[in-house]
């Protein structure tokens, strides 16, 4: 089967750092995406990891360990606008296409 | 430019109505997707078009009918919907649909159509 787990909700303080974890169990793994989604809006692409290690992009970094089935998204210097849901999604090859298997999302609440 | 546009933004329809959702991208992407998203849930894949051909249908009821008139456009025709079909309908596109496994093939989402079925 396939399973993706993320915490349901996290709270952090403006200016601080927060790490959102994602664990997965799936066959046919071909990469992992992180998306940000503000309430009522579409998901916005944040990062993609296919090899083990850390990818840094400004205030956001994403890490992947394929052997552990584990990824995290690290957000630094938190701003109020970072309050959103963060979804991890595993890319899985299917037939001659691919699909995304989505986690349920982590709602991040930033407090002043 | 990573823009995917969707119209309309909001749609209210009765159970006997026929309506269509439209999606457009001009990034030269050859894969397009329809998702349905309920509140506080992740997107749920409905259909995948690859090179203008339907490649994945996630056992979606026939009251939803997708159409891909050309590589830039994707429609979703709605007929005889149920109130439980009320949701945010998201369109996405990616450069390819998995033929190049090493590529990121990032899916870029449109703003969505908020559908309410009365």
């Amino acid at each position: 089967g396939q399973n993706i787990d993320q915490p349901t909700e996290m709270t952090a303080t403006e200016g601080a750092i927060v790490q959102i974890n994602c664990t997965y169990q799936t066959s046919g793994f071909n990469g992992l995406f992180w998306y940000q989604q503000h309430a009522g809006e579409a998901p916005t692409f944040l990062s993609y990891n296919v090899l083990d290690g850390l990818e840094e992009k400004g205030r956001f970094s994403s890490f992947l360990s394929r052997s552990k089935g584990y990824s995290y998204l690290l957000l630094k210097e938190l701003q109020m606008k970072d309050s959103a849901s963060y979804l991890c999604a595993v890319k899985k090859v299917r037939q001659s296409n691919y699909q995304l298997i989505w986690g349920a999302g982590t709602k991040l609440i930033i407090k002043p | 430019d990573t823009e995917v546009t969707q119209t309309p933004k909001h749609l209210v329809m009765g159970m006997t109505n026929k309506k269509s959702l439209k999606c457009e991208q001009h990034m030269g992407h050859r894969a397009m997707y329809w998702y349905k998203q309920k509140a506080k849930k992740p997107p749920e894949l409905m259909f995948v078009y690859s090179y203008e051909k339907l490649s994945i249908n996630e056992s979606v009821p026939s009251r939803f009918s997708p159409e891909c008139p050309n590589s830039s456009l994707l429609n979703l025709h709605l007929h005889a919907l149920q109130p439980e079909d009320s949701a945010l309908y998201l369109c996405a596109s990616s450069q390819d649909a998995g033929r190049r496994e090493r590529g990121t093939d990032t899916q870029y989402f449109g703003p969505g159509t908020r559908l309410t079925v009365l």
Side-chain angles (χ1 to χ4, degrees):
Chain A
Q2 47 208 21
N3 198 37
I4 299 181
D5 287 313
Q6 306 178 233
T8 305
E9 189 173 296
M10 299 181 71
T11 303
T13 306
E14 192 177 13
I17 299 173
V18 72
Q19 178 175 310
I20 302 174
N21 296 326
C22 172
T23 57
Y24 63 89
Q25 289 176 300
T26 182
S27 57
F29 176 85
N30 222 274
L32 187 144
F33 291 89
W34 282 96
Y35 282 83
Q36 179 192 61
Q37 187 174 25
H38 287 97
E41 297 182 13
T44 305
F45 168 71
L46 289 178
S47 69
Y48 173 72
N49 294 70
V50 66
L51 300 176
D52 290 352
L54 188 68
E55 294 277 343
E56 295 187 77
K57 214 188 258 189
R59 294 190 299 116
F60 293 5
S61 304
S62 56
F63 172 84
L64 176 67
S65 168
R66 288 172 298 171
S67 62
K68 294 182 180 174
Y70 168 68
S71 175
Y72 67 73
L73 180 70
L74 191 72
L75 293 79
K76 302 176 189 173
E77 300 166 21
L78 287 170
Q79 301 174 10
M80 298 303 291
K81 67 178 183 179
D82 297 329
S83 290
S85 284
Y86 291 85
L87 299 114
C88 74
V90 167
K91 177 183 173 185
K92 183 181 159 115
V93 173
R94 176 180 166 182
Q95 300 166 359
S96 59
N97 301 120
Y98 84 91
Q99 67 175 114
L100 295 180
I101 311 298
W102 295 86
T106 298
K107 182 178 178 181
L108 178 63
I109 300 167
I110 309 297
K111 294 187 174 176
Chain B
D1 180 15
T2 56
E3 190 179 25
V4 178
T5 59
Q6 288 186 245
T7 55
K9 210 168 176 179
H10 299 276
L11 179 62
V12 178
M13 60 187 289
M15 290 190 284
T16 57
N17 292 157
K18 279 187 184 180
K19 296 285 183 185
S20 296
L21 309 185
K22 296 186 184 304
C23 174
E24 191 166 1
Q25 57 87 15
H26 293 287
M27 296 178 277
H29 287 176
R30 303 313 300 269
M32 296 185 78
Y33 310 78
W34 278 116
Y35 287 91
K36 172 183 175 181
Q37 188 176 27
K38 294 278 212 180
K40 299 182 182 180
K41 298 284 186 185
E44 191 181 317
L45 183 66
M46 299 174 74
F47 302 104
V48 179
Y49 271 82
S50 177
Y51 291 81
E52 298 155 55
K53 288 189 180 356
L54 182 64
S55 61
I56 294 177
N57 175 342
E58 289 287 45
S59 303
V60 179
S62 59
R63 58 186 186 268
F64 295 91
S65 174
E67 179 198 15
C68 189
N70 60 56
S71 59
S72 300
L73 292 173
L74 186 66
N75 298 323
L76 186 63
H77 303 298
L78 314 172
H79 174 54
L81 294 194
Q82 305 295 312
E84 60 263 29
D85 296 322
S86 298
L88 181 67
Y89 286 83
L90 293 161
C91 172
S93 71
S94 67
Q95 190 170 358
D96 206 306
R99 295 187 183 197
R100 295 176 296 114
E101 289 188 12
R102 291 186 179 179
T104 62
D105 292 333
T106 300
Q107 289 184 25
Y108 295 97
F109 286 82
T113 294
R114 174 73 58 192
L115 175 67
T116 304
V117 182
L118 301 176

